[in-house]
Amino acid sequence: MTVRRDFKEPARCRPDQVIGREELFTAAREQLGRGGSVLLHGPAGIGKSTVLRALAAEYGGAARTVLRCSPTESESHLPFLALADLLGLVLDEVSDRIPAAQLTALESALTGRGESTLQRDGLALRLAVLSALRALAETGPVLVVADDLQWLDPASAELLGFAARRLGDTPVRMLCAVRTDGQEYDRHLRASPPDTLAVRLGPLSRAQMSALLDHRGFTGLPRSTVRDIHRTSGGNALFALELGRALAENPTPPRPGEPLPVPTSLRALVLNRLEMLSEEARRTLLVASAGARPTLALLHAAGRANAEAETAQAAALGLLATEPEGPAVRFAHPMVSAALYAEAPAQERRAAHAALSTAASDPIERARHLALATTGTDPEVAARLAEAATLARDRGAPSVAAQLCLLAARHTPADGAPSGEAESLGEAEPATGDNAAAGPPSGAAPAGPHDARLIRTTGPSPEALRLQAVDDAITAGELDLARDIAREVLARTSVPAERVRAWIAVIDTAGHAMTEVDAIFPQALADAGDDPKLLALVHYQLTWRALLVKGDFDEAREEAAYSAELAARAGDRYTELMALAFQAQIETLMGHPDAPATIRRALEEPQDPRVACHHNGAGYSRFRWLIMSDQLPEARAAVTALLREVRRHGWVESEVHFLRGVAETELHSGHCGRALDLARESLRLARDTGIGEVASAVLTSLAEAAGGELDRALALAREAVEHAEEDGDQMYVSRALAALGHAQLVAGDAQGAVRSLRRVREVEQGLGITDPARGRWHGDLAEALVRSGELTEAQDVIDVTREQALRLNRESVLAVLDRAEALVRAARGERDAAVAQLTSAQDRLGKLGYGLEEARAAFALTQLRTGAPGPTSYDEAARLFRRCRALPWLRQVEAAAEARPAETVPTPVSPPDGLDSLNGLAAMERQVAALVMEGATNREIAARLFISVKTVEATLTRVYRKLGIRSRVDIVRLAAGRRTT
């Protein structure tokens, strides 16, 4: 099983208990740190108490005194109880500092030995509480922690509110939590100190809820189940954890289409008013809970004649949030509907579904209700479900189609399939929509995805329907569900075609971690026998294995070509086109001269519409060719059209890849803000589905380094490297290392960038990747080498890469290499040549549309001119970076402008004549020594030679060692002594 990985933003010192509440927690923590108070509010179970405990634990140690109370509903009628909890144990400490009349009233209230009441001793009691808090604060800060303020007895609430409003600068902080269903926290806020920050806790997102469930031990839940938990709980943390516990304790998972099991604890929590409903009203609500989009008209059609009055009764009790004049029947919370359904006997549930199977207007809904109303096998029911699945697929709802197919399989007799399915699921005519949309392992490079759908079923059977459900689940991004169904099919069937299809689904759902399923390939080949159609499918997967596991481009290209040949021999045009498109992508990465011809073959007629929009189809191969050939407008138009089409069909797997494609195009174009938004969206979707997480993390790292936060860029890149290495995926090891090296370079860590990018060079040489437009890291490596003083190696990187770029006509790569070579020349003192080369590179990059690279060239040009006579301005570089929204680079420009020396430094000169002792130094070392002799500081030397101050310091250390001296003063003395002889 593939283990889910989350690529998170760098943690900001957050307790594990506040997963998904980081920003709110930080705001509350800062408020308390400033000496203010905090009021947490939100609905029951949303996590207020958890956050309150975490904040109290963090700030309790800083307080001299911590006062706590946690009232309950059953005790809310007891006067002064909360006040006794807060002050009962500390009153003796301050009793001598409270006026006698106030102390008497307070002791009577807390102990119950007198008859103190607010009516009788109101002012004395109020002042006594205020005096007690002020007295406690005299010895150090006081923290009042009060949970569930809504159950605070009225007397205690009144006294605390009186004191809170009058504490002023007294070091007493209040940390409180109150249950609210809307915004009605105002009255509690009015009873708090004037500077209180109100923090509302809202529902958790699906990703946050998944992290919470994992943290609490409910690991291994399929993403489809997490989605159902999120929907049913409404994002409520308590409800989600209880649902997770119920699933863990329930040996039988819910049937497809059925709600989740709701534990008794939650039923009691949300249905405590259900007993006040009439029996008929409860049945009406049960029908509403079984429907997908219940309305009054639907309830009438289902036989609930008095639906208006019965729903009005439920609304009055707070079970429904239905508008008085509106047609929709909306439950106050999704959990109410789930609990009501779980509470009903199975016979009543089936009756509700039977009524809805004729009342619902949508054929998909009718089929689902019919299935849930039917027990045992029924070919007619199965046929209707299969038809509904096809309709859902055509509507772009593959997740719904998967559920319907599973229901159809459940109702299909073991010896036959529903009538009419031979055409849509057999070998005759392929189904429409994404019925057979294909692809290789999810998230795999170059575009990633699955190919279970490459196979057509050979006969109507329950397994054929389950395999169709596998296809739909993969399309919807529900890889865990697809894997589980495929393994169930393998346990049930001995039909070779079905087994091969199931094996391929298991391989597909492994994603980049193909080493985990390496043992499957011999079994799949054995089941395929000598059938060319089945062998074509297995060899298509072997292409991915050669690429990801073995890192052998030549073998991958041969496997793809062989798969295409086998498919053509079998008359399987779909698989042939997919294999040709994959072959074209491999050849593009290799810089192989046959790549354009292979793309043309993949685009020849007859075409299959499913291939055109597939993330491993010819359309995406063409996009990769366009973007690597510097045709950015055409590439943007191509991938945007692909993204629009797959979203229309609900093909989540392809959507993840095309989102990255659009983001990549925007990043190259210098639209850093737009690229960052798209990259983050891709990463969120990848994390939710488990598709292409490494690839999305890599791209998001690059986007963060261009237009976001460098800390995030570095963290994402490091995690991507770690996970790619775990998966044994050399393709993305190199991509992740390139992203890490780029982020390190932008962050000013030249040595770290050199280490990372040298590894990229080694990995890609081993893989046989020769097209520098694939990763575009070469210019970064050369620049990092210059900053590190490794000029010879920098020039070697430039020369080797330039030869490859010239062969493939990669104009933008050549311009970036010229920019890097200009830095080499500047470091060698060839300032005029460097300025000319940088000016040319900036102009060419601008014309090609590479906005960020153009701005980087302008920045380098400005830095190069800083030491030259005449005025220097960073305005142009700042303008270009601002246009790109390249915030990390803009900060560099601002820092450079602020650090610019007041006086210009002379142009670097050759070492003075007669300094024979410098002849043994390297070129960079001689340059640095010569500038030291002229009196330049390390910062000025770094600016003149376009290297970092750290590099200057390291170079000087080598100079000292070679010359047998100890400091820069000795260099000056050495030069002076030589000149006077």
Side-chain angles (χ1 to χ4, degrees):
M1 173 177 289
T2 304
V3 180
R4 175 186 180 182
R5 304 185 181 96
D6 284 351
F7 291 87
K8 305 180 181 67
E9 295 180 358
R12 295 180 176 84
C13 190
R14 55 158 201 179
D16 286 339
Q17 303 98 298
V18 293
I19 289 172
R21 308 296 190 192
E22 290 87 346
E23 292 185 9
L24 298 178
F25 185 84
T26 299
R29 183 173 58 187
E30 291 174 352
Q31 171 74 357
L32 291 170
R34 290 190 294 265
S37 297
V38 173
L39 175 67
L40 305 171
H41 65 100
I46 204 68
K48 303 180 299 299
S49 297
T50 301
V51 176
L52 181 135
R53 286 193 296 269
L55 288 167
E58 183 162 340
Y59 283 93
R64 169 67 174 77
T65 306
V66 179
L67 308 177
R68 299 176 185 270
C69 72
S70 184
T72 63
E73 184 178 13
S74 61
E75 298 170 340
S76 60
H77 65 285
L78 300 175
F80 306 118
L81 183 61
L83 195 65
D85 290 340
L86 290 171
L87 298 178
L89 297 179
V90 297
L91 186 59
D92 290 344
E93 298 178 23
V94 295
S95 58
D96 58 339
R97 284 171 279 170
I98 300 177
Q102 296 177 20
L103 182 61
T104 300
L106 184 57
E107 286 179 336
S108 297
L110 297 184
T111 61
R113 288 195 293 267
E115 294 184 359
S116 180
T117 65
L118 280 178
Q119 288 74 26
R120 175 179 173 180
D121 302 313
L123 182 58
L125 275 175
R126 288 172 171 82
L127 293 174
V129 173
L130 181 59
S131 297
L133 291 174
R134 284 174 173 166
L136 287 169
E138 288 176 2
T139 59
V142 176
L143 178 64
V144 178
V145 181
D147 198 3
D148 283 323
L149 282 186
Q150 73 277 2
W151 304 132
L152 210 66
D153 63 273
S156 296
E158 170 63 27
L159 294 173
L160 279 177
F162 177 87
R165 292 189 293 271
R166 289 163 177 80
L167 285 170
D169 295 331
T170 305
V172 176
R173 290 173 291 180
M174 297 188 70
L175 174 59
C176 305
V178 61
R179 180 188 301 179
T180 56
D181 292 326
Q183 299 294 321
E184 65 278 9
Y185 62 92
D186 290 350
R187 64 185 180 90
H188 298 285
L189 193 60
R190 287 193 295 271
S192 303
D195 64 345
T196 299
L197 173 68
V199 177
R200 176 168 178 78
L201 275 68
L204 294 174
S205 69
R206 189 192 303 180
Q208 291 166 345
M209 183 162 289
S210 177
L212 176 64
L213 290 166
D214 287 344
H215 177 71
R216 296 299 178 87
F218 302 115
T219 56
L221 292 174
R223 284 176 176 78
S224 56
T225 301
V226 173
R227 178 200 62 203
D228 291 343
I229 290 176
H230 183 256
R231 183 181 61 244
T232 303
S233 68
N236 185 292
L238 172 65
F239 294 173
L241 292 172
E242 288 298 310
L243 288 169
R245 186 174 292 108
L247 283 168
E249 295 172 353
N250 189 352
T252 305
R255 294 169 60 190
E258 282 188 341
L260 297 173
V262 179
T264 305
S265 58
L266 289 185
R267 297 185 200 182
L269 179 65
V270 300
L271 296 180
N272 54 2
R273 285 162 288 187
L274 188 62
E275 294 180 358
M276 301 175 66
L277 285 175
S278 66
E279 185 64 28
E280 289 302 310
R282 289 182 63 174
R283 289 180 180 173
T284 295
L285 286 194
L286 175 60
V287 175
S289 70
R293 294 172 296 277
T295 62
L296 290 173
L298 178 66
L299 294 176
H300 279 298
R304 309 310 303 168
N306 298 317
E308 286 88 350
E310 289 159 356
T311 55
Q313 182 187 3
L317 292 172
L319 295 169
L320 294 179
T322 304
E323 297 293 334
E325 304 298 329
V329 176
R330 185 166 56 87
F331 284 89
H333 190 280
M335 184 58 67
V336 176
S337 173
L340 195 151
Y341 186 92
E343 189 79 5
Q347 184 176 356
E348 290 187 13
R349 291 188 213 171
R350 287 195 295 271
H353 285 296
L356 289 169
S357 68
T358 58
S361 58
D362 185 83
I364 294 176
E365 280 299 297
R366 288 199 301 270
R368 185 180 74 88
H369 288 302
L370 180 61
L372 295 175
T374 305
T375 58
T377 61
D378 188 323
E380 183 179 348
V381 171
R384 288 184 57 180
L385 286 164
E387 292 170 2
T390 300
L391 181 58
R393 204 171 297 120
D394 291 343
R395 289 181 180 178
S399 180
V400 175
Q403 287 191 358
L404 292 168
C405 280
L406 288 176
L407 286 170
R410 183 184 297 271
H411 290 290
T412 299
D415 58 350
S419 59
E421 276 305 288
E423 181 177 351
S424 62
L425 293 173
E427 291 192 295
E429 192 68 23
T432 57
D434 62 356
N435 188 31
S442 294
H450 92 93
D451 281 288
R453 286 159 289 185
L454 290 172
I455 308 177
R456 308 303 306 163
T457 57
T458 57
S461 69
E463 272 50 69
L465 290 163
R466 290 188 177 93
L467 287 169
Q468 182 61 63
V470 168
D471 299 346
D472 292 323
I474 293 177
T475 299
E478 298 178 4
L479 303 187
D480 293 335
L481 176 62
R483 184 189 303 110
D484 291 344
I485 301 171
R487 291 198 178 279
E488 182 182 355
V489 170
L490 287 168
R492 289 171 174 268
T493 186
S494 60
V495 178
E498 292 176 346
R499 291 187 61 80
V500 170
R501 185 175 181 181
W503 285 128
I504 289 175
V506 175
I507 294 170
D508 283 341
T509 54
H512 286 250
M514 293 196 75
T515 51
E516 298 178 7
V517 294
D518 209 31
I520 287 177
F521 287 98
Q523 301 177 68
L525 285 169
D527 281 328
D530 58 0
D531 186 327
K533 183 174 184 178
L534 300 180
L535 286 171
L537 301 169
V538 180
H539 281 280
Y540 184 85
Q541 293 294 339
L542 286 169
T543 303
W544 287 99
R545 178 178 177 274
L547 191 66
L548 299 180
V549 179
K550 302 174 72 174
D552 190 328
F553 271 62
D554 289 324
E555 181 179 334
R557 178 174 176 266
E558 291 173 3
E559 288 285 2
Y562 187 46
S563 174
E565 177 188 335
L566 287 167
R569 192 188 310 165
D572 184 355
R573 182 60 174 165
Y574 177 82
T575 306
E576 180 187 5
L577 290 172
M578 289 296 298
L580 285 172
F582 195 12
Q583 180 184 342
Q585 289 197 48
I586 296 169
E587 290 173 347
T588 299
L589 293 176
M590 296 172 68
H592 197 285
D594 290 349
T598 307
I599 291 177
R600 285 194 295 271
R601 286 180 60 198
L603 291 171
E604 288 176 356
E605 296 295 339
Q607 279 292 312
D608 188 310
R610 297 163 297 167
V611 179
C613 293
H614 195 276
H615 50 273
N616 277 320
Y620 195 74
S621 297
R622 178 175 174 269
F623 160 71
R624 298 301 322 164
W625 179 260
L626 288 171
I627 202 168
M628 294 172 72
S629 302
D630 301 322
Q631 300 179 57
L632 296 183
E634 295 85 351
R636 181 187 293 106
V639 74
T640 301
L642 290 170
L643 178 61
R644 184 167 52 248
E645 188 66 15
V646 299
R647 279 178 165 169
R648 185 174 69 84
H649 286 286
W651 299 346
V652 176
E653 189 177 15
S654 292
E655 181 181 356
V656 174
H657 299 286
F658 294 155
L659 264 174
R660 283 203 308 270
V662 179
E664 181 183 355
T665 309
E666 299 294 350
L667 192 59
H668 286 320
S669 302
H671 305 150
C672 300
R674 171 70 172 154
L676 183 59
D677 290 342
L678 289 164
R680 287 174 174 172
E681 183 182 354
S682 171
L683 182 57
R684 283 193 297 270
L685 189 57
R687 289 173 57 187
D688 282 347
T689 61
I691 296 171
E693 292 174 86
V694 174
S696 293
V698 166
L699 183 66
T700 308
S701 172
L702 293 170
E704 292 283 2
E709 297 294 333
L710 282 176
D711 287 345
R712 297 177 186 176
L714 290 164
L716 285 169
R718 289 190 176 107
E719 289 185 66
V721 171
E722 177 186 348
H723 295 314
E725 288 177 337
E726 286 178 3
D727 292 341
D729 181 354
Q730 292 301 299
M731 284 283 293
Y732 266 99
V733 166
S734 73
R735 295 295 295 270
L737 283 169
L740 177 59
H742 177 74
Q744 289 167 325
L745 180 66
V746 179
D749 180 9
Q751 296 291 341
V754 167
R755 287 192 297 270
S756 298
L757 296 174
R758 276 176 176 163
R759 282 191 62 195
V760 177
R761 194 181 191 192
E762 294 170 3
V763 171
E764 294 203 354
Q765 284 176 345
L767 290 172
I769 297 175
T770 60
D771 193 333
R774 181 255 184 181
R776 298 178 181 270
W777 50 265
H778 312 75
D780 284 346
L781 175 55
E783 183 173 335
L785 288 166
V786 171
R787 293 189 189 183
S788 302
E790 304 288 346
L791 303 185
T792 302
E793 184 181 350
Q795 189 63 55
D796 176 67
V797 170
I798 292 167
D799 292 341
V800 172
T801 308
R802 179 177 284 134
E803 181 180 352
Q804 297 166 344
L806 284 169
R807 176 175 62 85
L808 297 168
N809 194 30
R810 301 300 190 226
E811 287 295 331
S812 62
V813 174
L814 290 168
V816 168
L817 292 174
D818 281 353
R819 184 184 68 202
E821 189 172 49
L823 304 183
V824 176
R825 289 181 170 179
R828 289 174 173 165
E830 303 170 18
R831 185 169 301 278
D832 292 342
V835 168
Q837 195 168 17
L838 270 176
T839 303
S840 172
Q842 179 184 345
D843 181 63
R844 287 151 56 203
L845 287 167
K847 290 179 178 176
L848 288 168
Y850 287 80
L852 182 57
E853 301 295 349
E854 177 193 6
R856 287 179 62 179
F859 185 30
L861 193 57
T862 302
Q863 290 179 297
L864 196 58
R865 287 171 171 164
T866 300
T872 301
S873 173
Y874 285 90
D875 290 348
E876 174 64 6
R879 182 186 68 80
L880 291 175
F881 282 132
R882 197 173 291 112
R883 182 183 68 182
C884 295
R885 287 185 59 191
L887 301 183
W889 288 101
L890 191 57
R891 285 191 285 268
Q892 285 194 37
V893 174
E894 293 169 350
E898 291 175 1
R900 185 175 58 199
E903 297 180 1
T904 59
V905 181
T907 304
V909 296
S910 300
D913 295 336
L915 290 182
D916 298 333
S917 60
L918 300 190
N919 292 338
L921 301 179
M924 174 65 74
E925 293 166 351
R926 287 198 302 273
Q927 285 285 330
V928 171
L931 289 171
V932 169
M933 293 173 189
E934 294 179 358
T937 66
N938 286 2
R939 183 175 292 280
E940 290 167 346
I941 294 170
R944 295 279 296 279
L945 300 182
F946 204 75
I947 58 178
S948 68
V949 174
K950 288 184 179 179
T951 300
V952 173
E953 294 169 352
T955 304
L956 279 174
T957 301
R958 294 196 299 271
V959 170
Y960 300 155
R961 185 176 65 251
K962 290 182 179 181
L963 297 182
I965 58 179
R966 296 184 177 180
S967 70
R968 61 191 298 125
V969 175
D970 291 334
I971 296 179
V972 176
R973 288 173 179 168
L974 180 64
R978 293 283 180 153
R979 285 179 182 133
T980 59
T981 58

